[in-house]
Amino acid sequence: MMSVKNATPFFIGVAGGTCCGKTEVCKKICEEIEENMNSSGRQRIIMLRHKNFYCNLNDEQKALASLGKFNFDHPSAFDDELALATIKTLKEGKPVSIPKYDFVTYSRLDTGEIIYPADVILFEGILVLYNKEIRDNLDMKIFIDTDCDTRLARRVLRDTIEHKRDIDSVLSHYTSFVKRSFEDFTLPTKKYADVIIPRGVNNTVAIDLIVEHIRDILKVGHSQDSHRIRKQSENSGSR
Ligand code: UZR
């Protein structure tokens, strides 16, 4: 594979419960970073989704999933070994193939998608701050704190309209798996965040501040900056 000689990408983890607005916040941040290409031709900011790293399900798990009885919100549902290896490859400035996950067959498609390193990489998902090794490779950690009624209302609309699921199964899946896993696994990762954004994409003040920070990183290169943020995290105590 061709490697791109450039500074190490600045990795930003964007976590939060289902439908808190992670994707919207990431899209907004990307939009605000106006020019998409720097002078060396490398893309400035890209999104990477933890959802691409769902594990292939075996037949038994697929049967449970089709009955709405598989917990996709549990940390074990993700192939974090592959996610970590992907982050490390991108940090070395090399392109990498990431899996494309098919939510209909609950398995990876045969061909993946090639991702090229960028100056800033936003890594989003409900559990991106859960795995310590992944966390240690993130230069900045954001947690989006949207209230749970709002998230449930959005989730119901998304699952019934986009995924054509019936309301009873959406609600029973939510209470059996999504809510419980949020409380057990996602919410406890809020303590690792450097920045907590209440209300998600509506919080333009917080998003503007993050965008300004990213612009600074793009201007000066992030090695020193990342060092400074790490030092601040270390100084704020082992959490
Ligand atoms: P976000 N997910 C699906 O909807 N379909 C799948 O095949 C696999 C996962 C969901 C998953 C989780 N729950 O709650 C959600 N289920 O994606 C997390 N079922 O994504 O943060 O965008 O809501």
Side-chain angles (χ1 to χ4, degrees):
M1 273 185 185
M2 176 192 74
S3 75
V4 182
K5 284 201 175 74
N6 250 314
T8 309
F10 187 82
F11 259 94
I12 305 178
V14 181
T18 185
C19 292
C20 67
K22 298 179 288 295
T23 308
E24 291 80 357
V25 167
C26 290
K27 282 186 180 158
K28 185 88 185 137
I29 292 173
C30 290
E31 273 167 30
E32 299 275 326
I33 306 290
E34 321 98 334
E35 310 160 37
N36 217 26
M37 302 289 281
N38 65 13
S39 52
S40 68
R42 185 162 104 171
Q43 215 175 345
R44 287 198 150 185
I45 182 160
I46 59 168
M47 266 173 75
L48 185 65
R49 308 187 77 183
H50 204 195
K51 269 187 182 175
N52 284 73
F53 297 92
Y54 267 120
C55 297
N56 274 322
L57 299 194
N58 62 31
D59 290 344
E60 197 184 326
Q61 292 168 326
K62 279 182 192 173
L64 286 174
S66 57
L67 296 170
K69 292 185 175 165
F70 183 82
N71 190 354
F72 285 100
D73 294 61
H74 192 277
S76 62
F78 293 90
D79 184 349
D80 275 345
E81 218 174 290
L82 184 62
L84 180 64
T86 302
I87 292 171
K88 286 184 174 170
T89 306
L90 288 166
K91 284 204 146 189
E92 286 166 9
K94 297 177 188 159
V96 66
S97 171
I98 60 156
K100 277 189 194 161
Y101 192 80
D102 178 8
F103 291 108
V104 177
T105 60
Y106 310 111
S107 49
R108 287 178 191 157
L109 299 176
D110 290 339
T111 49
E113 181 192 352
I114 304 287
I115 296 281
Y116 291 88
D119 297 310
V120 178
I121 301 180
L122 299 164
F123 183 42
E124 70 97 353
I126 49 175
L127 288 166
V128 293
L129 301 184
Y130 184 81
N131 178 298
K132 183 178 186 310
E133 279 190 277
I134 290 182
R135 228 164 45 225
D136 289 347
N137 276 279
L138 299 173
D139 302 295
M140 185 196 258
K141 298 180 266 303
I142 296 174
F143 190 96
I144 301 178
D145 205 4
T146 304
D147 114 281
C148 50
D149 294 346
T150 307
R151 293 192 297 99
L152 172 60
R154 288 186 193 151
R155 177 75 186 232
V156 166
L157 289 179
R158 188 176 79 182
D159 281 356
T160 52
I161 296 170
E162 285 176 36
H163 300 153
K164 314 274 182 241
R165 295 184 184 143
D166 67 83
I167 183 87
D168 288 353
S169 75
V170 171
L171 291 176
S172 78
H173 185 86
Y174 186 88
T175 42
S176 326
F177 297 117
V178 182
K179 179 177 160 62
R180 191 177 295 174
S181 289
F182 172 76
E183 287 164 0
D184 290 348
F185 307 113
T186 301
L187 189 56
T189 67
K190 186 159 86 167
K191 62 179 172 288
Y192 302 118
D194 303 304
V195 182
I196 296 167
I197 307 184
R199 304 183 302 282
V201 77
N202 297 330
N203 193 333
T204 48
V205 174
I207 292 172
D208 286 350
L209 288 169
I210 290 166
V211 166
E212 270 317 302
H213 186 65
I214 295 173
R215 285 206 184 106
D216 287 346
I217 292 160
L218 291 174
K219 260 184 244 150
V220 298
H222 90 269
S223 304
Q224 288 177 337
D225 206 75
S226 132
H227 179 71
R228 183 173 54 78
I229 287 174
R230 270 215 188 95
K231 276 273 159 258
Q232 280 170 354
S233 291
E234 283 162 17
N235 290 343
S236 61
S238 53
R239 292 175 288 181

